[in-house]
Amino acid sequence: MRPPTRDWSVLAAPDYVDVFSHRTEVVASAERWARVMFGDTPGVLGTLLFRGLLGLRVTHRRSPDTVAGWQVAARADEALRLEAQSPFLTGELVVTTVDGSVTLMTSMRYERRLGAILWPAVAVVHRRAAPGLLRGAATTLAHEHA
């Protein structure tokens, strides 16, 4: 069965894709999940990683049109697609909430050789952090709904 996150992806020919899911009884919109996982603004670490290392054009301003500085490209109650670009990398994050699960899909396309060098190193940390982001958000949201 095709994961619902793939239906929301528009990144053509990604060089990297990962998908993490977490079963949960918490009911919240995909955007709420994303904001709890990533924050409204990128913060110091996000700024260093996204802007500094990866060169992604993310904003520091809190806005209904961004999550952690990434641009909201598409939204519905059950799905949210975020996009960010740099001269050498295009990134897409898709969060979906379907059938008692929240899913995070990360896709990257290398626009230049530097992207193919930098993202795989960052991806090692990303793959370790993503499950914890989902679990942490589930705990936070469960407390909000209690």
Side-chain angles (χ1 to χ4, degrees):
M1 182 172 147
R2 181 181 162 103
T5 49
R6 298 234 189 252
D7 294 335
W8 280 80
S9 177
V10 298
L11 188 62
D15 296 294
Y16 173 93
V17 176
D18 67 34
V19 179
F20 294 92
S21 292
H22 179 74
R23 299 284 303 158
T24 182
E25 294 180 14
V26 174
V27 177
S29 71
E31 183 167 344
R32 183 69 186 128
W33 277 96
R35 289 188 185 282
V36 171
M37 281 190 286
F38 306 125
D40 289 321
T41 60
V44 174
L45 183 59
T47 298
L48 288 173
L49 177 65
F50 300 145
R51 288 183 73 112
L53 181 63
L54 297 176
L56 295 170
R57 295 179 198 104
V58 295
T59 182
H60 296 290
R61 294 189 187 113
R62 183 179 303 252
S63 167
D65 297 325
T66 62
V67 173
W70 290 56
Q71 187 67 40
V72 174
R75 65 163 53 99
D77 194 50
E78 75 283 355
L80 180 75
R81 180 167 39 88
L82 305 172
E83 296 176 346
Q85 298 173 336
S86 81
F88 48 87
L89 189 66
T90 298
E92 178 184 74
L93 302 173
V94 176
V95 177
T96 59
T97 56
V98 178
D99 297 329
S101 287
V102 59
T103 300
L104 168 64
M105 182 178 77
T106 303
S107 303
M108 296 288 170
R109 184 178 61 229
Y110 310 142
E111 306 298 348
R112 293 195 168 62
R113 185 162 195 242
L114 186 56
I117 293 169
L118 290 176
W119 178 253
V122 173
V124 171
V125 175
H126 165 77
R127 285 190 302 272
R128 293 184 75 122
L133 286 171
L134 291 166
R135 285 190 307 270
T139 300
T140 299
L141 289 168
H143 285 112
E144 285 182 1
H145 293 287

